Amino acid sequence: MDFAEARSAMVEGQLLPRGIRSGLVIDAFKSVPRHDFVLPKYLDDAYSDYPLPIGSGQAISQPYMVALMTQCLALKGGERVLEVGTGSGYQTAILSRIVKEVYSVERFASLVTVAEARMKRLGYANFTIKVGDGTMGWEEHAPYDGIVVTAGAPGIPSDLLKQLKDGGRLVIPLGGEFSQVLTVAEKRGADIETTEICKCVFVPLVGKEGWSERA
Ligand code: SAH
């Protein structure tokens, strides 16, 4: 399989026709090797138009959804961004191509180990990942210009709003455990302005200000 060709086809066929216009986002998608972020048995599907299992019951999101969420952050380059839900590290890598610093929190240590090793091997250096409950954000590096939550939440975790800069954007799937609405929350002083983007389906955000873990 020619991965470079598959990557161009993904950008041309899945992102551009659906309204991904940000040059920064498109360039990042052209450069990050998605096939390095999937399990070996899914290599042939690495650039396909759907999510794929990554182990621990989690998934690498569909390329278009990663692009849309990144575009919704309205990045210009040079920012400091927080990601909640590292998973495969694919979105982390996309963000690291665009901004200055990426901080990412993942609840499964096994996924952190794999994502971190893979990102280092690929030469990304402007990211830091930790194991933890991302519904509490990552206070130490706050405030953030943008925050992206890559798991579905019942509501916006209050710590994430606190750790967002004034004028910053938080992109988060909000709703039920099995389907959500991708939502952008912009912080304007004491006000939060929310915009609903589209329906989506994410694995649940499990934590203090998310869903509780199932037995
Ligand atoms: N951006 C990732 C998406 C992975 S799926 C990718 O494209 O590969 C969402 C991830 O969120 C899962 O790995 C899940 O374990 C993680 N997650 C769920 N609740 C979390 C929480 N409270 N804190 C940190 N990570 C969480």
Side-chain angles (χ1 to χ4, degrees):
M1 181 159 195
D2 184 337
F3 291 124
E5 204 174 285
R7 195 155 54 246
S8 303
M10 169 187 76
V11 171
E12 307 281 332
Q14 299 169 35
L15 307 191
L16 299 179
R18 294 178 186 152
I20 302 302
R21 293 278 173 270
S22 158
L24 290 173
V25 175
I26 290 164
D27 286 348
F29 271 78
K30 284 182 179 165
S31 89
V32 177
R34 185 169 162 97
H35 58 277
D36 280 306
F37 292 82
V38 303
L39 296 174
K41 65 175 166 182
Y42 297 118
L43 263 188
D44 286 348
D45 285 326
Y47 294 93
S48 300
D49 196 12
Y50 39 78
L52 294 167
I54 55 171
S56 303
Q58 307 306 318
I60 176 172
S61 302
Q62 175 198 24
Y64 169 65
M65 193 47 70
V66 178
L68 182 61
M69 292 177 97
T70 310
Q71 180 163 278
C72 284
L73 287 171
L75 301 164
K76 295 188 173 67
E79 292 91 347
R80 174 186 295 195
V81 169
L82 174 70
E83 174 189 30
V84 175
T86 316
S88 67
Y90 180 65
Q91 169 105 58
T92 325
I94 292 286
L95 290 167
S96 84
R97 294 296 77 196
I98 299 174
V99 302
K100 187 156 168 256
E101 294 163 51
V102 185
Y103 295 91
S104 187
V105 187
E106 166 60 51
R107 60 187 280 260
F108 286 106
S110 54
L111 294 177
V112 169
T113 306
V114 173
E116 201 165 38
R118 157 188 289 155
M119 297 269 297
K120 282 195 178 139
R121 178 170 56 80
L122 292 170
Y124 301 102
N126 57 338
F127 74 95
T128 316
I129 305 177
K130 77 161 182 182
V131 181
D133 176 5
T135 67
M136 295 187 287
W138 193 342
E139 173 107 59
E140 193 187 341
H141 305 289
Y144 300 99
D145 300 288
I147 300 179
V148 60
V149 179
T150 72
I156 300 179
S158 57
D159 284 337
L160 296 186
L161 282 179
K162 278 186 213 139
Q163 293 174 25
L164 189 64
K165 263 188 204 167
D166 196 18
R169 290 178 172 217
L170 166 67
V171 178
I172 182 168
L174 290 180
E177 239 176 304
F178 304 104
S179 81
Q180 306 87 27
V181 175
L182 185 64
T183 306
V184 178
E186 268 189 87
K187 188 167 176 174
R188 304 224 169 275
D191 293 332
I192 304 296
E193 197 175 288
T194 59
T195 312
E196 295 188 343
I197 307 297
C198 63
K199 286 191 176 171
C200 55
V201 177
F202 280 81
V203 298
L205 181 74
V206 176
K208 187 170 154 255
E209 281 201 62
W211 299 97
S212 47
E213 198 153 4
R214 285 178 192 218

